Amino acid sequence: MVAQARLPVRKIREVLRLKAEGLSDRQIALAIGSARSTVQECLCRCRDAGLAWPLAPELDEAVLHAQLYRRAVPLSRTPTPDYAKLHAELQRPGVTRMLLWQEYKAAQPDGWQYSVFCDQYRRWLGRQDVVLRQSHLPGDKLFVDYAGQTIGITDRLTGLVRPAQIFVAVLGASNYTYAEATWTQTLPDWLGSHVRTLQFIGGVTAAIVPDNLKSGVSRACRYEPTLNPEYQDFAEHYGVAILPARVRKPRDKAKVEGGVLIVERWILARLRDCTFFSLAELNAAIAALLAELNTRPFQRQEGDRQTRFETLDRPALRPLPLRAYEFASWKKAKVHLDYHVQVDGAFYSVPYALIGKTVDVRLTAHGIEIFHRQQRVAAHARYAGRGHFTTVAAHRPERHSAVIDLTHEKLMQRAVAIGPATVEVLTEQMQRRRHPEESLRASLGILRLAKDFSPDALERAAERAVALATFSYRALRALISAPSADAEQPALPLAHANVRGGEYFR
């Protein structure tokens, strides 16, 4: 029930006077400039209080209001709800003020009505810390940024001190905090910190809110910021939305701004006089103080970051993928005429239909993936050396595969199917030629005769060639084309076959 507006004493007197003169409730409302429901409420209260026109002179403003608007239970003595608990409950999905008020009234029948309940909650909320007034759904957002301070790491041999950057992440609903040190703010360290943060909280939020750091955002825009390809790749791997804060709008990421201050005061300040000799040593010290920070009780509300994380954020997080994200860089490459792309001095094949096209290459520490129009067309193990060729047979044209796959063994299998004389001719070719490729070409030509004429014709010519000790392609073709009754003499003079690449062997 919503409380009606209270009329001042002058208007209460006027309502009673006009009603005594016979005016309707609507006419009275028009006359005094109030709602008809307000006039009706005033008249109802006057009847309940036994008041009628004319009013007694001793009824001053305080007495009249006390009679008309007295409370069954004074406001100061009404059972007060636990505002901090109300605020925490409102951050849970589906919980409304009406639901909480109904539960409050069930426990406290003499408690406040809904309008007073909401009004008192708003008054309490206005007195709280700024961070508490932010409302974030559990598991919804993770805020990330780098601290302004750094911590030096000393080289044991040279004594030189190198500053380490401090990465900070804060969950919106619970303020659960993660921090670690990295050497730089470059893309590999930036994404590596993201991966370790998600592993630390044991799940994935719906969105990540970063600053407009160049490592993550290549072009800042209020409405459609452009992410770096590597950051976009990370987001797709985890199925998370990236919502960069607006430029020069720190309140967009106020959670992590406050988290950075707390990390600087409660962790970095306590490590200011410590000497560290490695990044791992520094991160071990940060982890110990981080556990203490997350279990430290809040000052203005119940619980701590750890307990609020367990009750609010953890149940709402999505599970991590089976495989952690591996940092990958992206490059563009053009497919050469030999259907290979060059990446860091090595060459990797793609389907030959992409010759002349520009493709996107994703490089990880151990492999590369090649994409064309967002579709993966090839994947290879990465080779560290220069000049190395990695080729997949399926990427070659069919005619190229036929040449590459040509071997002496495969040719001999075809010769066996024709006959023993053909096998002997090919064996002589392989033994007499100086280079393997030279014998392969000659043998391929001899076997081609079985297709040009017939396998039986080739076998008969091979028998005569063996008898004559002549084993060239031209000789066998001549024996098939012009067979002679005299098996001692070929049908074609040998002199005609004595040409480059086809001379007779005796």
Side-chain angles (χ1 to χ4, degrees):
M1 181 183 68
V2 180
Q4 297 290 334
R6 296 186 180 186
L7 290 174
V9 173
R10 178 182 60 79
K11 286 192 174 184
I12 294 173
R13 293 178 181 275
E14 186 68 6
V15 167
L16 292 175
R17 185 184 69 80
L18 294 176
K19 192 65 177 176
E21 293 181 1
L23 273 68
S24 67
D25 296 345
R26 187 181 299 277
Q27 292 173 326
I28 296 173
L30 291 173
I32 67 171
S34 295
R36 185 164 63 94
S37 60
T38 303
V39 172
Q40 292 172 339
E41 174 72 12
C42 177
L43 292 171
C44 181
R45 289 178 179 273
C46 287
R47 284 194 299 270
D48 293 342
L51 299 177
W53 186 259
L55 293 174
E58 65 271 12
L59 286 177
D60 60 8
E61 181 175 353
V63 175
L64 185 58
H65 265 283
Q67 290 189 17
L68 295 182
Y69 299 103
R70 64 180 180 273
R71 292 180 53 84
V73 180
L75 187 64
S76 59
R77 293 167 52 189
T78 305
T80 304
D82 186 342
Y83 297 115
K85 184 178 179 180
L86 289 177
H87 185 78
E89 290 295 314
L90 283 172
Q91 297 180 52
R92 301 177 63 176
V95 178
T96 64
R97 294 184 182 182
M98 177 60 75
L99 174 62
L100 295 176
W101 173 75
Q102 290 172 349
E103 294 174 351
Y104 162 75
K105 284 291 288 184
Q108 303 291 343
D110 294 332
W112 298 330
Q113 297 302 319
Y114 180 68
S115 59
V116 180
F117 177 86
C118 293
D119 181 65
Q120 293 300 315
Y121 169 71
R122 284 191 295 267
R123 291 173 182 269
W124 173 87
L125 194 61
R127 297 191 297 268
Q128 305 310 302
D129 185 73
V130 175
V131 175
L132 184 59
R133 289 205 298 270
Q134 295 188 16
S135 296
H136 298 284
L137 294 176
D140 183 43
K141 291 179 181 177
L142 176 71
F143 298 81
V144 296
D145 201 359
Y146 281 102
Q149 298 182 18
T150 60
I151 294 184
I153 298 179
T154 305
D155 189 302
R156 291 182 183 273
L157 299 178
T158 64
L160 295 177
V161 178
R162 181 181 178 184
Q165 309 297 319
I166 307 300
F167 175 87
V168 180
V170 179
L171 282 168
S174 62
N175 288 336
Y176 194 58
T177 304
Y178 174 75
E180 70 168 19
T182 60
W183 284 121
T184 68
Q185 296 185 15
T186 56
L187 199 55
D189 284 337
W190 168 253
L191 293 181
S193 294
H194 279 63
V195 172
R196 290 183 288 273
T197 300
L198 296 181
Q199 292 172 343
F200 177 77
I201 66 177
V204 182
T205 56
I208 296 178
V209 182
D211 198 356
N212 283 279
L213 187 70
K214 281 297 182 183
S215 295
V217 182
S218 59
R219 186 175 69 87
C221 176
R222 178 174 183 174
Y223 304 106
E224 290 185 353
T226 302
L227 304 181
N228 286 334
E230 293 81 0
Y231 205 13
Q232 184 65 44
D233 190 30
F234 162 86
E236 292 175 359
H237 180 84
Y238 286 100
V240 62
I242 306 298
L243 306 175
R246 294 171 295 172
V247 178
R248 291 185 293 276
K249 296 290 184 180
R251 293 191 64 180
D252 286 0
K253 53 184 180 64
K255 281 284 183 178
V256 75
E257 293 284 343
V260 165
L261 290 176
I262 291 174
V263 167
E264 289 178 344
R265 293 170 182 173
W266 289 91
I267 295 180
L268 303 188
R270 296 170 69 177
L271 299 176
R272 67 189 185 281
D273 294 328
C274 299
T275 302
F276 300 98
F277 297 100
S278 68
L279 202 62
E281 186 179 345
L282 171 57
N283 277 322
I286 292 176
L289 294 176
L290 188 64
E292 182 180 337
L293 172 64
N294 282 324
T295 55
R296 183 170 155 267
F298 289 122
Q299 293 183 352
R300 292 185 175 90
Q301 53 185 312
E302 294 182 358
D304 53 44
R305 291 173 175 81
Q306 182 72 43
T307 57
R308 288 177 63 84
F309 169 71
E310 297 294 342
T311 57
L312 294 178
D313 278 316
R314 184 185 289 278
L317 294 175
R318 292 182 289 108
L320 291 167
L322 297 178
R323 179 177 58 87
Y325 171 78
E326 182 180 10
F327 173 74
S329 59
W330 288 81
K331 294 184 177 181
K332 288 189 177 295
K334 190 172 183 179
V335 181
H336 298 172
L337 289 175
D338 61 355
Y339 43 90
H340 285 69
V341 295
Q342 182 178 2
V343 181
D344 293 342
F347 298 85
Y348 304 91
S349 68
V350 299
Y352 71 91
L354 296 176
I355 291 175
K357 305 290 186 182
T358 299
V359 294
D360 297 307
V361 182
R362 180 177 181 267
L363 295 93
T364 65
H366 306 289
I368 74 166
E369 295 176 290
I370 303 171
F371 295 82
H372 182 249
R373 294 180 178 176
Q374 288 78 50
Q375 298 294 322
R376 192 174 78 166
V377 296
H380 302 277
R382 190 171 181 180
Y383 189 78
R386 299 181 66 84
H388 177 79
F389 278 80
T390 301
T391 308
V392 175
H395 293 164
R396 298 189 181 103
E398 188 174 341
R399 62 183 183 276
H400 287 197
S401 298
V403 175
I404 295 298
D405 294 340
L406 187 64
T407 62
H408 289 297
E409 289 75 12
K410 291 185 178 181
L411 293 181
M412 291 302 293
Q413 291 174 4
R414 294 169 57 185
V416 169
I418 297 173
T422 305
V423 172
E424 186 172 352
V425 170
L426 261 63
T427 302
E428 290 292 334
Q429 286 285 345
M430 296 173 188
Q431 292 176 352
R432 294 171 181 265
R433 297 287 182 176
R434 298 185 183 92
H435 194 277
E437 187 174 340
E438 188 180 12
S439 66
L440 281 172
R441 291 184 180 181
S443 299
L444 189 63
I446 293 171
L447 292 175
R448 177 62 184 262
L449 295 173
K451 182 177 180 181
D452 293 345
F453 299 96
S454 70
D456 291 340
L458 174 58
E459 179 64 16
R460 289 193 299 269
E463 291 174 353
R464 297 179 62 195
V466 171
L468 296 172
T470 177
F471 306 105
S472 71
Y473 162 77
R474 290 178 180 272
L476 266 75
R477 188 175 187 89
L479 290 171
I480 295 175
S481 301
S484 174
D486 184 7
E488 298 295 330
Q489 297 293 331
L492 188 66
L494 296 180
H496 290 285
N498 187 17
V499 296
R500 183 179 180 185
E503 66 272 12
Y504 283 94
F505 294 102
R506 296 186 180 276

